[in-house]
Amino acid sequence: MKKHVLLLVALATFFTAFISCSSDDPQTSEVAVRLVDAPGDYDAVNIDVQDVMINKSDGDGGWQSLGNVTPQVYNLLELTGGIDALLVDTEIPSGKISQIRLVLGENNSVVVGGETYPLATPSAQQSGLKLNVHQDLVGGVKYTFILDFMVDKSIVVEGNGAYSLKPTIRVTTEATSGAISGMVNPFEYQVAVEAASATDTITTVTNEEGKFMLHGVPASTYNVTFTPDEASGLAPKTVEGVTAVLGENTDMGTVELQ
């Protein structure tokens, strides 16, 4: 089935507190894409979402699927009042995202007065409404892209009574967590790292170089405890008052163990 590709709009500073036992790789960021709707005067507006893609280059090349997207038809009019649809939640290499693209199939329709009509995508739209964006993703931080599908501006009634989709989508980006990183010395033995606040606990372990990265850390102040492997003979150590900031990586530097 031929797919219609719609290239979406801008990103500005994006996925809800997230707790994880994560890897120590500071070169990845977690990315979620959620779909919401600004209401329109229809009974239903059904959109066939097939894929979500990003472009990390400044040209038209470099497109890649975010993967983990289950093709599904969404009634946009159900995605209001705080309800949204999670299209994808995944981890990708950190760095700049220049564009984002929503890939639609052909099973799009609009319901008016109880009657269902095909929602055509004009050939001129198949190449998309491409807008360049420049969003840097910080390693270890979780971002959510909110795609606000403005139905009242996106559906056009043609002269013959048919309906066409000319999407107007407002995209916002919010960092919904921070990160805490650093390294321990000595690092010959693995060390468990736990950051605890009044409400959250996030854990990870050091890698072979003694480095660690706590991903998806909600903004708060934490006591970070380091517990070396018993075979090391090193004592646990707690560093108090470590602050996690939304959209930032708090680098603790080198933590000396004795």
Side-chain angles (χ1 to χ4, degrees):
M1 176 180 290
K2 184 178 180 181
K3 295 180 179 177
H4 300 300
V5 178
L6 305 177
L7 298 179
L8 302 184
V9 199
L11 309 171
T13 295
F14 131 69
F15 29 110
T16 6
F18 172 80
I19 309 300
S20 71
C21 295
S22 52
S23 71
D24 53 15
D25 182 5
Q27 303 305 316
T28 61
S29 302
E30 188 167 358
V31 169
V33 179
R34 294 183 178 273
L35 182 64
V36 299
D37 170 50
D41 190 20
Y42 302 96
D43 296 338
V45 177
N46 301 306
I47 300 298
D48 181 10
V49 177
Q50 294 289 312
D51 199 3
V52 179
M53 306 179 75
I54 59 169
N55 191 354
K56 304 190 80 172
S57 72
D58 290 328
D60 201 27
W63 285 104
Q64 64 184 63
S65 171
L66 287 177
N68 199 30
V69 177
T70 301
Q72 184 172 334
V73 175
Y74 296 91
N75 178 4
L76 294 177
L77 300 189
E78 294 179 349
L79 305 179
T80 59
I83 299 174
D84 60 50
L86 177 62
L87 302 182
V88 63
D89 190 343
T90 190
E91 193 169 278
I92 66 172
S94 303
K96 180 188 292 184
I97 292 179
S98 60
Q99 298 167 324
I100 188 169
R101 172 185 284 173
L102 186 66
V103 181
L104 299 185
E106 293 185 337
N107 194 20
N108 306 295
S109 63
V110 58
V111 181
V112 183
E115 296 289 330
T116 301
Y117 301 89
L119 193 53
T121 302
S123 58
Q125 296 298 322
Q126 293 178 17
S127 59
L129 301 171
K130 184 169 65 177
L131 292 145
N132 295 323
V133 297
H134 300 283
Q135 176 67 39
D136 289 319
L137 305 184
V138 175
V141 174
K142 183 172 184 177
Y143 297 83
T144 297
F145 298 118
I146 305 295
L147 312 185
D148 188 355
F149 214 116
M150 305 176 73
V151 165
D152 58 337
K153 297 181 180 179
S154 298
I155 296 177
V156 176
V157 181
E158 305 293 348
N160 60 1
Y163 293 83
S164 296
L165 180 65
K166 296 184 178 180
T168 299
I169 301 170
R170 183 173 63 92
V171 181
T172 58
T173 308
E174 58 184 23
T176 57
S177 76
I180 297 175
S181 67
M183 65 181 301
V184 299
N185 186 52
F187 54 80
E188 286 78 11
Y189 293 86
Q190 192 172 74
V191 178
V193 185
E194 178 184 278
S197 69
T199 57
D200 300 309
T201 300
I202 303 95
T203 62
T204 189
V205 293
T206 56
N207 68 4
E208 65 278 2
E209 298 176 339
K211 296 179 181 180
F212 66 91
M213 167 71 76
L214 292 159
H215 293 252
V217 183
S220 187
T221 300
Y222 293 83
N223 294 334
V224 182
T225 299
F226 300 86
T227 306
D229 187 291
E230 276 189 27
S232 70
L234 299 169
K237 180 175 183 176
T238 297
V239 178
E240 299 181 349
V242 179
T243 301
V245 180
L246 292 182
E248 296 184 14
N249 175 23
T250 300
D251 187 352
M252 294 183 64
T254 302
V255 177
E256 299 290 342
L257 303 177
Q258 298 180 349

